[in-house]
Amino acid sequence: MSSLVQNNLKGYLRQDGRKGIRNLVVVAYLVECAHHVAREISTQFRNQQVHLIGFGGCYPNSYADKMMNALCTHQNVGAVLLVSLGCESFNRLRLQQTIEESGRPVKLVGIQSVGGTRKAIDEGIDFISSALEEIKSVPVVNISLSELSVGVVCGGSDATSGITSNPAVGNAFDLIIENGGTAIFENTGEMIGLEKIMSNRATTPLLADELKKAVEKAAKYYSIMGHGSFAPGNAEGGLTTLEEKSMGAYCKTGNSPVSGMIKPGDIPQKTGLYLMDIVPDGNPRFGFPNPNDSSEIAELIASGAHCVLFTTGRGSVVGSAIAPVIKVCANPETFKRMEEDMDINAGKILYNQATIKEVGQEIVQKILSLASGQQTCSEMLGHQEFVLGYKTFEPIGPSCLP
């Protein structure tokens, strides 16, 4: 704990008392028909802190609504431009009201009502120009690790992931919890067979039962749909079985007690370690619980993650809108080949050039550096990937909360 440098860490104070490590403007389209206009607006500010997100569906979905409300009021967000076609089913007025009540500048541009594409783009550009100036007055205050929330995903896993990057992240998570922070892991589809081990770490018997049920739901989903989390790319990277991948993925959770379980868009009200259940509730429907890594990242951010750790063996390049993504590379050969995209070389553990504990501390120090103005590789390269689709969830019960 004492070796962590927490000097000169600054956060942006929001009206609700939360602190962000970024102060950006979000452009959010509320239907695919408004995507082009929103993109044209955001690209006018390419080298500035303006990020594009959106929901493409026209049919209403409570999950997408919850996600968009959480993302547009995320602590890293200073102002929001909503771009609507005008006839979509998304409750744009309620979203606008939610953002207004959070104390953030917000404008709703309706393409149909303003008179079409060019006029909507002009209105959007005018608002963002003024919003970028306005959010400069957001109070800048001290922030510490105890006030940060960190999520984790893995993608492009290979045979080194479970022995370098994932255990190192688990060590980092333990450090975060030790220092009073919040850590969120997800993907119950990679916990199948490990539910008893994970449940034994629950802080209450009722929570242990909920954790077990979440993994059983994932197993049922995959069984009915005929697929799982083990992909051809994993096999090409040297992984042999789903069990091997799951055990390696589980290492990301560390050894701290599991404080609670949440679903996408639920924000932990207390610090600690949380499992995010990303598998939809109800009868399994066509598709995947998460179509790609970017949708998982968006869900972690919607649940309050200031940044997201991304472990990869084969080498993913994605970043994200709203919150920085830190790439923890498992494979030393991948790191050497893709160094410009990777933040942490966990592969040096294989060569005895560092211990798991030392890389864990390096990861936490990288997290802290984001609050002192440093950028991740994906940020410097301009990555702002974002995916949001349809899902169905039931609210979590009291047994899931600490």
Side-chain angles (χ1 to χ4, degrees):
M1 260 194 324
S2 59
S3 62
L4 295 177
V5 179
Q6 299 195 49
N7 300 328
N8 303 315
L9 306 183
K10 301 297 180 183
Y12 298 93
L13 182 63
R14 305 303 175 192
Q15 198 173 87
D16 62 3
R18 294 189 298 164
K19 301 173 184 177
I21 59 171
R22 296 290 181 266
N23 191 32
L24 53 88
V25 178
V26 159
V27 180
Y29 59 90
L30 306 181
V31 66
E32 185 61 27
C33 304
H35 190 164
H36 172 74
V37 168
R39 184 174 59 247
E40 287 295 300
I41 294 168
S42 65
T43 53
Q44 301 302 312
F45 302 90
R46 183 178 178 84
N47 296 318
Q48 301 181 60
Q49 286 293 295
V50 177
H51 290 200
L52 177 66
I53 68 171
F55 175 57
C58 189
Y59 190 81
N61 177 252
S62 58
Y63 155 78
D65 183 87
K66 181 179 181 179
M67 286 282 293
M68 289 293 285
N69 275 267
L71 291 163
C72 289
T73 55
H74 189 276
Q75 59 267 36
N76 287 350
V77 175
V80 182
L81 172 68
L82 302 176
V83 184
S84 160
L85 177 62
C87 57
E88 70 276 358
S89 299
F90 197 98
N91 195 331
R92 54 190 178 277
L93 296 179
R94 186 179 63 191
L95 176 57
Q96 181 183 21
Q97 181 181 355
T98 298
I99 299 167
E100 286 174 347
E101 291 173 351
S102 76
R104 292 167 172 80
V106 58
K107 182 178 179 63
L108 172 62
V109 173
I111 299 169
Q112 292 169 342
S113 60
V114 303
T117 298
R118 293 188 188 279
K119 292 179 180 179
I121 291 172
D122 289 343
E123 280 205 17
I125 290 172
D126 287 345
F127 170 76
I128 292 179
S129 297
S130 62
L132 285 169
E133 288 299 316
E134 188 173 352
I135 64 175
K136 289 179 180 179
S137 64
V138 172
V140 178
V141 296
N142 293 329
I143 191 172
S144 66
L145 184 55
S146 64
E147 297 172 283
L148 295 180
S149 178
V150 181
V152 65
V153 300
C154 54
S157 299
D158 71 4
T160 66
S161 298
I163 54 178
T164 60
S165 62
N166 291 352
V169 165
N171 185 274
F173 264 25
D174 288 340
L175 265 176
I176 292 167
I177 303 303
E178 206 178 308
N179 281 269
T182 300
I184 309 171
F185 66 101
E186 47 75 64
N187 207 340
T188 48
E190 292 184 347
M191 304 295 164
I192 297 169
L194 303 171
E195 55 267 34
K196 182 171 174 49
I197 298 172
M198 179 173 62
S199 297
N200 288 340
R201 293 166 57 190
T203 51
T204 69
L206 290 174
L207 174 61
D209 188 51
E210 293 292 343
L211 296 176
K212 185 170 178 287
K213 287 178 181 176
V215 178
E216 289 172 347
K217 180 181 67 171
K220 178 183 177 183
Y221 191 106
Y222 284 128
S223 176
I224 291 175
M225 300 312 297
H227 58 67
S229 67
F230 192 86
N234 299 141
E236 290 173 7
L239 286 170
T240 59
T241 62
L242 176 60
E243 289 81 3
E244 182 185 6
K245 182 181 180 185
S246 293
M247 290 174 68
Y250 181 74
C251 292
K252 300 195 304 293
T253 69
N255 296 297
S256 302
V258 180
S259 299
M261 187 179 81
I262 59 175
K263 296 182 182 182
D266 295 329
I267 299 175
Q269 297 303 302
K270 294 183 179 179
T271 59
L273 178 65
Y274 289 82
L275 168 68
M276 176 183 286
D277 177 12
I278 65 171
V279 177
D281 292 322
N283 293 324
R285 302 177 182 180
F286 177 77
F288 293 79
N290 280 70
N292 51 52
D293 299 322
S294 294
S295 58
E296 295 176 19
I297 292 171
E299 289 176 337
L300 289 165
I301 297 170
S303 288
H306 288 83
C307 66
V308 176
L309 305 175
F310 192 130
T311 69
T312 183
R314 303 201 68 193
S316 173
V317 299
V318 301
S320 178
I322 298 180
V325 173
I326 297 173
K327 294 291 175 46
V328 184
C329 187
N331 191 317
E333 293 181 4
T334 302
F335 184 86
K336 184 177 180 180
R337 188 172 62 251
M338 301 181 65
E339 188 170 357
E340 190 180 14
D341 287 275
M342 302 296 146
D343 297 285
I344 304 288
N345 178 16
K348 57 192 174 185
I349 295 169
L350 289 178
Y351 296 141
N352 292 320
Q353 295 172 345
T355 64
I356 288 173
K357 183 177 180 180
E358 287 170 341
V359 176
Q361 289 189 324
E362 184 182 350
I363 292 168
V364 176
Q365 203 63 64
K366 181 65 178 181
I367 293 167
L368 293 172
S369 77
L370 301 180
S372 61
Q374 291 188 30
Q375 289 189 319
T376 64
C377 290
S378 63
E379 285 183 293
M380 288 186 283
L381 291 167
H383 284 281
Q384 293 183 19
E385 286 81 357
F386 182 83
V387 175
L388 177 60
Y390 284 94
K391 282 189 181 183
T392 303
F393 285 101
E394 298 169 3
I396 55 171
S399 299
C400 299
L401 301 171

